Amino acid sequence: MRRARLLRSTPFRLAVIFSALFLVAFVVASLVAVQAVRQNLVAKLDRDVGETYAVLAASYGDNDIEDLIGLVQNHVAVARAADQIFLLTGRGGARLVGNIAQRAVPLGWSTAAGSDLGLDGAARYRLLAGDIGSGYRLVVGKSYAEIETVGAITAVTFMWATLVALLVAVAGGWILARRLQRRMDAIAGTMARISEGELGARIPLIGNGDDVDVLSVRINDTLDRLSGLFEGMRQVAADIAHDLKTPLNRLKLTIRAALGKQEAGEPVAAELEEADAESDRINATFDALLRIAQIEAGARKARFAPVRLGDVAAAIAEAYVEVAGESGRTLHFEAGDVSHAISGDRQLLLQMCANLVENAMIHGPAGTRIGLRVAATDAATTLCVTDDGPGIPESERANVLRRLYRLEKSRTTPGSGLGLSLVKAVADLHGARLVLSDNQPGLCVTIEFPNLPPRRTA
């Protein structure tokens, strides 16, 4: 069953295709190589025949035919049977010497079968014929037998090489297909485990950095994010169930008290006002949760535009400096180089800065000094909000970024535990790095935003 599935798999089909292409390329290369070898051998054969003809023709001097006849006889004597042929004819075509019977051979280069020359067998010969002196014709030839033997050996060699190449290609393709199929099965298996609720399952990596590993890393990153979102949703549901239970109970008790007073004929206006205020607080909590969800969904990125973070911080400082003074706190604003721009949503950045300042004012006692500072480098712009209040323990700094999470000592202060969650959502939307650290005393919130690249001037 697994073998049949492998044969139908894409990796195996790709392996077959590449094996076939490799085999075709190998066969074509082999044919070209065989043809090149044959051409070289034919050229060498022509050179040998031409050189022999030239030596024999040069022996005919001063019309001395006897020297030519003797030299031809010597070549006939040392020639291997049926390998070289020689023929010298005289005036009128009479055969003077040679190892073949008199035949009419055309002048110049030609190819003839052995049967046409009166020889036994199916060998073919390369011939060169020419006239010497007055009325003499010399024919020199050599058999193609050596070339054909070499060609046959070469063809057989390449045939076996092709067979070996085919076996190697098929075996290699099968191995590669099985290996890739195992990795595809691992991916499919991981997806199946996740669909069954095992959200911690991840695709195993080989670590060689190939395309499948790169894809697996991206899928794992996506799964990490989805798992985090799911865990966040689960945590939000748990936090909503836990943290909204108290205000809902308060609202229920207030309504019951109002009903009791109404039955007793007492005025219930105060209870109704308290219930109205409590419902407003509950609605505000849900509105904040919805706003955070919209920010995390990334829909507000469509409104991104160049923004100077220094201008945003200056606007918040101007709006809150008097409020801080009236509540017994002080707000100090410091702006460094604010000429750099970031890409962002101005309204969300204003909300983020306001949340940080309000958070410091709410949780810091009277006399708390709050600092709002903006600094920039060529690469990034940093927003820093500090206070010298009670701060946040290091073990709780990751928790306070969760929705609806509140420190025990902060449960008596106004708020829903969503202020820093919104700050984190805005920072993540802008690709910023959020860090909570100790201000010694108090809390230091640092958010580093990447700058827009500078505009090029013509």
Side-chain angles (χ1 to χ4, degrees), residues 22-56:
F22 171 77
L23 183 61
V24 169
F26 185 83
V27 170
V28 171
S30 300
L31 293 176
V32 171
V34 169
Q35 188 62 27
V37 170
R38 179 177 178 79
Q39 289 178 352
N40 287 332
L41 291 176
V42 169
K44 182 178 181 301
L45 179 64
D46 285 353
R47 287 195 302 272
D48 291 344
V49 172
E51 291 172 358
T52 302
Y53 180 90
V55 170
L56 293 175

Side-chain angles (χ1 to χ4, degrees), residues 59-83:
S59 66
Y60 178 72
D62 299 330
N63 294 323
D64 189 358
I65 192 62
E66 296 300 329
D67 289 343
L68 176 57
I69 292 174
L71 188 56
V72 171
Q73 287 178 334
N74 290 336
H75 277 75
V76 169
V78 298
R80 288 180 296 173
D83 181 54

